[in-house]
Amino acid sequence: MKCDILIVSGLWNSGPEHWQTHWERKYRKWTRVSHRDWNNPDRDEWVAELDAAIAACQGRPILVAHSLGCMLVAQWAQSGSPLKAAGAFLVAPSDTEAASYPIDPNDFRPVPLAPLPFPSIVVASANDEYAHIARSRAFAGAWGSELVEIGDAGHINADSGYGPWPEGEALLEAFCRDLHP
């Protein structure tokens, strides 16, 4: 794949069998945003860490986010950073306003609902325990994102059976081609 990719994991970081980790191992030039504390996210700290990771990129990266990482991308987009992203591939955005969210979202509320200033795609599951499909549709609509619904896929993580996830990789590759024809 010929895109500059920055992996934006969510709460607890993506584990060794998560699709983000598989893709990072496959594409050695891809990097993952690091956070000081993966278990107790602080919005301002995470936004600053994402901003620093984007600044370290050679050009404008495509942000490949999962779960709380999607909310981080939306928070960063409205932060006023002068840095730019080429686009965002947002998988299973967590609804930090929902009672089902597993921890105190530490300032990740309210969910930003402003249009993203770059092309984006939201990949959503009909039975995601961290975001009802109606909310995922609302996020995609508010952000100006293309929405791809993939049926009953849980949280689209390793626990839901999404390890290497070649279908997701194909979606990302098509998104990259659309951005860089």
Side-chain angles (χ1 to χ4, degrees):
M1 205 171 300
K2 296 181 179 181
C3 291
D4 293 326
I5 301 290
L6 189 57
I7 296 172
V8 185
S9 299
L11 183 62
W12 306 311
N13 197 356
S14 298
E17 295 307 315
H18 193 283
W19 56 268
Q20 284 182 315
T21 305
H22 280 276
W23 296 359
E24 185 179 16
R25 284 192 300 257
K26 183 175 181 179
Y27 300 101
R28 296 292 184 179
K29 290 186 178 183
W30 295 10
T31 56
R32 184 182 304 230
V33 175
S34 293
H35 295 296
R36 181 189 62 79
D37 188 345
W38 288 99
N39 301 326
N40 301 293
D42 175 271
R43 183 194 62 205
D44 292 340
E45 181 178 49
W46 277 35
V47 166
E49 290 163 339
L50 174 56
D51 199 57
I54 292 169
C57 291
Q58 294 291 335
R60 296 181 316 140
I62 294 175
L63 307 174
V64 176
H66 179 255
S67 192
L68 185 61
C70 300
M71 291 302 140
L72 173 58
V73 168
Q75 294 282 354
W76 173 80
Q78 71 175 22
S79 72
S81 173
L83 300 175
K84 306 288 184 207
F89 186 78
L90 306 167
V91 179
S94 290
D95 185 355
T96 55
E97 296 174 356
S100 63
Y101 195 73
I103 67 163
D104 178 352
N106 295 328
D107 298 327
F108 276 87
R109 288 186 269 198
V111 171
L113 296 175
L116 298 177
F118 39 76
S120 59
I121 184 170
V122 169
V123 180
S125 166
N127 65 339
D128 188 337
E129 61 266 37
Y130 300 119
H132 190 275
I133 190 64
R135 284 291 279 171
S136 296
R137 290 174 183 146
F139 299 152
W143 295 336
S145 304
E146 176 186 348
L147 176 65
V148 177
E149 295 183 35
I150 62 170
D152 291 342
H155 194 48
I156 317 175
N157 59 8
D159 290 344
S160 302
Y162 290 84
W165 193 30
E167 301 85 0
E169 190 176 350
L171 282 171
L172 175 59
E173 192 161 352
F175 181 63
C176 287
R177 274 195 310 272
D178 288 347
L179 293 177
H180 304 289

